[in-house]
Amino acid sequence: MRFRNRSILLFITALWLGGCSGPPALRTLAQDAVAAMGGAEKLQGVKTLAMKGGTGTRLRMGQMVKATDQENPAQLKDVVDIVDLGNGRASLDYALQLGGFMQHRHEILTKKGDKSIGIEIVGTRPIIATTPGGLFSWGTQNSPEFLLRRNVVTIALSAAESASDRQPAIDKELNGKMYKYGTAQTKSGEDLGLYFDPQTRLLAAYEVIDTESILGDVPAQYILSDYKTADGLTLPHHITVRKGGKDYSDVQFVSIAVNDPATEQVFAIPDSAAEEADKAAAGDEYSPMKIVKVGNGVYHAVGYSHHTLIVEFPQWLALVDSPYTETQAKVLFRAIQEQFPTKPVKFVAVSHHHYDHIGGVRTSAAMGATILVEKGNEPVLRPLLEARHTHPQDELDKRRNSQPAQQAGAIEVYEGKKIISEGGQSLELYPVSFPEHVDPMVLAYASSARALFQPDLYTPPAAANGGPPAQHLLQALKQLNLRVDTMVGGHGGIGTFADFLKAAAPAASSN
Ligand SMILES: [Zn+2]
């Protein structure tokens, strides 16, 4: 009884406080935060934000040697993050360094007419266009679309609109400091947790569920600091993102330009990608894809930068790798259905657990394929296949959660070598440790064409010195006693074994 009376008393007090002074209602805090940033009118007038000169770090790239290893952060430099709130466009431009790997990358979500399309510019590769789901980023976010949904102006405005004027804020700690905390919604109805700084009244952090292409639904935390004046607004210049309780990205920007007309040019479609941009704007899903014959019953499905091996059996097909994005996987399966209309994809084997080579595996499972995973790759692949993907919902999540649930392919874990054979065709899978890149890497051998497929160790058809990974690969092929005629790349193209031998020869000493 005592407790019951006490809770009634607390309830009445809360109502009274909500109506009068005392702990401020959440809406008041959210409106104060908007006022501290420059006011609702000015924030609503923001069309473009260009955050420039960023330096920092990025994790959750999935480039570990073993699937269970801790990740090392990549360094981000020259980061320029741009959002165009008026037109639903965004751009992630940055230089990335991870150990000895360096790449300048630029992913752009833009418009062709009223259709959203993606433009991808990576190093010196040809510039390509895709539908938006084909974009994959190692910048501050998983894709430019996230910048649009998670930028501070959009979040602050939706908090001020959706926060309750009845809900009193509670005190909550974050990183050793006390904040006023409460909940609201984004424009699309996602739940937001909001931390307001009681001294500055600014929005110090917010929490939301992010659907990451590999990690699936993860609780994400955006910590906003170093608020400074930029074109009459007060905006955070330091943004720290944590996902699933782990560091994700952390970038300090030098400056932010608001509504700068010069920002426009980043969204222009480059001439060299104009033809592809038309395709991306016309079809349902588009990313570059062509199927090339390797030899008897063996094909190479060539995407933008990450490729697939197709092995044809009498009744069905087996693939090795379904890389990059859900969009690429959809385009891959469409191309396969056109070329092999009577043959379902029965198996998709995974070469290794690096995120850039497994982004289409969930889609492959949704298409009914059994996903063949060597035990060493399981710690990444099993959670990838089991995760929820709700916002937006992907094909696998849709199938599993429809009423009644629809059939989808399952994971099949094997240990050591695995050989699939039927009707004179065989696909042989050999896990080998390559500690210079990944452990294990599953080398895939298609017997009918004497073709060997692997990504990342050697890129066919190069004959130039391939360094230790190529030498190590040659050693492994000798130990496995495989008779190889043709090398097929998870990157690059198709090459002869003779050229691979040149690439795998020890470097001649130059002095
Ligand atoms: Zn790799």
Side-chain angles (χ1 to χ4, degrees):
M1 265 324 252
R2 218 180 130 222
F3 284 110
R4 191 180 158 79
N5 284 341
R6 195 166 152 247
S7 55
I8 290 170
L9 183 68
L10 280 174
F11 178 68
I12 293 167
T13 313
L15 277 182
W16 179 77
L17 287 173
C20 309
S21 57
L26 205 65
R27 175 168 289 196
T28 310
L29 287 169
Q31 286 172 344
D32 284 355
V34 164
M37 289 170 72
E41 203 175 314
K42 268 194 185 155
L43 287 191
Q44 277 153 3
V46 172
K47 296 283 177 269
T48 63
L49 283 179
M51 309 170 69
K52 299 175 189 174
T55 50
T57 53
R58 165 72 198 254
L59 282 132
R60 316 311 291 270
M61 299 167 58
Q63 301 295 306
M64 310 81 77
V65 172
K66 279 181 179 285
T68 49
D69 284 349
Q70 287 280 331
E71 280 198 72
N72 292 318
Q75 305 301 311
L76 293 176
K77 278 196 306 185
D78 308 323
V79 180
V80 181
D81 284 358
I82 298 175
V83 288
D84 175 356
L85 302 176
N87 298 299
R89 304 184 293 184
S91 152
L92 295 160
D93 188 353
Y94 53 98
L96 176 98
Q97 178 163 17
L98 180 62
F101 174 84
M102 271 181 82
Q103 206 168 50
H104 177 228
R105 298 177 60 99
H106 191 177
E107 297 97 17
I108 308 154
L109 175 67
T110 186
K111 290 261 171 90
K112 166 98 193 170
D114 60 352
K115 286 277 259 180
S116 292
I117 62 164
I119 300 287
E120 190 158 335
I121 308 172
V122 178
T124 53
R125 289 176 196 159
I127 299 171
I128 58 137
T130 72
T131 36
L135 293 177
F136 166 94
S137 180
W138 277 336
T140 54
Q141 269 295 3
N142 194 171
S143 70
E145 201 252 336
F146 264 106
L147 267 191
L148 272 179
R149 279 161 50 201
R150 304 293 185 237
N151 84 86
V152 65
V153 170
T154 304
I155 294 287
L157 284 172
S158 27
E161 278 166 29
S162 65
S164 159
D165 52 7
R166 297 253 178 95
Q167 183 194 10
I170 58 166
D171 290 323
K172 195 168 176 182
E173 194 197 303
L174 178 67
N175 300 329
K177 210 182 145 180
M178 291 305 284
Y179 294 95
K180 297 290 174 195
Y181 174 87
T183 56
Q185 273 85 44
T186 65
K187 284 206 167 63
S188 60
E190 301 165 277
D191 288 329
L192 272 177
L194 302 157
Y195 294 79
F196 298 100
D197 186 322
Q199 273 89 47
T200 63
R201 301 186 163 223
L202 289 161
L203 180 61
Y206 62 92
E207 293 169 337
V208 64
I209 302 288
D210 279 355
T211 302
E212 283 275 309
S213 51
I214 303 293
L215 307 171
D217 289 2
V218 282
Q221 206 170 48
Y222 291 78
I223 299 152
L224 314 167
S225 58
D226 192 28
Y227 272 90
K228 287 191 292 206
T229 318
D231 294 330
L233 296 174
T234 302
L235 297 170
H237 286 59
H238 188 167
I239 298 174
T240 306
V241 184
R242 291 173 58 80
K243 298 198 187 194
K246 291 181 183 171
D247 291 337
Y248 186 89
S249 66
D250 182 276
V251 177
Q252 172 74 52
F253 293 94
V254 171
S255 65
I256 302 177
V258 181
N259 296 344
D260 178 0
T263 302
E264 274 292 310
Q265 70 196 38
V266 78
F267 298 112
I269 294 163
D271 288 345
S272 65
E275 212 174 296
E276 279 210 315
D278 288 340
K279 293 183 202 163
D284 289 339
E285 290 274 4
Y286 175 79
S287 73
M289 178 62 61
K290 66 171 191 277
I291 296 179
V292 179
K293 186 162 185 173
V294 174
N296 187 20
V298 180
Y299 301 81
H300 195 205
V302 181
Y304 168 44
S305 54
H306 292 65
H307 314 322
T308 296
L309 183 75
I310 302 173
V311 183
E312 187 181 11
F313 287 82
Q315 311 290 328
W316 38 266
L317 307 170
L319 312 186
V320 183
D321 279 351
S322 181
Y324 223 54
T325 59
E326 180 172 42
T327 294
Q328 179 165 329
K330 285 180 177 171
V331 172
L332 169 68
F333 274 80
R334 198 171 62 207
I336 286 174
Q337 278 162 357
E338 277 166 21
Q339 186 147 349
F340 309 95
T342 60
K343 295 192 178 178
V345 174
K346 188 172 181 186
F347 297 110
V348 174
V350 172
S351 69
H352 69 307
H353 56 78
H354 288 171
Y355 289 3
D356 52 327
H357 291 274
I358 57 176
V361 166
R362 286 178 60 89
T363 318
S364 297
M367 298 300 290
T370 296
I371 311 301
L372 297 177
V373 175
E374 209 282 332
K375 202 164 175 29
N377 291 318
E378 185 186 3
V380 169
L381 269 298
R382 185 175 290 280
L384 164 93
L385 281 158
E386 288 177 353
R388 291 298 312 268
H389 277 239
T390 59
H391 200 103
Q393 195 176 31
D394 72 358
E395 286 304 323
L396 186 59
D397 201 277
K398 273 182 211 163
R399 294 189 79 83
R400 285 203 184 124
N401 296 288
S402 62
Q403 293 295 338
Q406 290 172 280
Q407 279 262 283
I411 185 171
E412 183 183 320
V413 178
Y414 64 95
E415 193 171 1
K417 80 169 177 187
K418 180 173 182 71
I419 295 177
I420 301 164
S421 58
E422 196 179 287
Q425 176 63 294
S426 77
L427 170 63
E428 306 176 15
L429 303 169
Y430 298 99
V432 178
S433 170
F434 290 91
E436 65 272 49
H437 186 74
V438 73
D439 177 17
M441 172 70 83
V442 174
L443 305 176
Y445 180 73
S447 62
S448 65
R450 289 186 187 143
L452 193 280
F453 174 88
Q454 55 69 46
D456 296 344
L457 301 171
Y458 160 70
T459 298
N465 187 283
Q471 290 161 26
H472 191 173
L473 175 58
L474 176 59
Q475 223 174 58
L477 295 181
K478 281 182 179 163
Q479 265 161 22
L480 292 169
N481 217 1
L482 289 179
R483 184 162 168 199
V484 179
D485 290 342
T486 303
M487 299 295 280
V488 185
H491 298 286
I494 301 166
T496 62
F497 194 71
D499 278 343
F500 166 63
L501 284 178
K502 287 179 200 155
S509 177
S510 57
N511 49 9

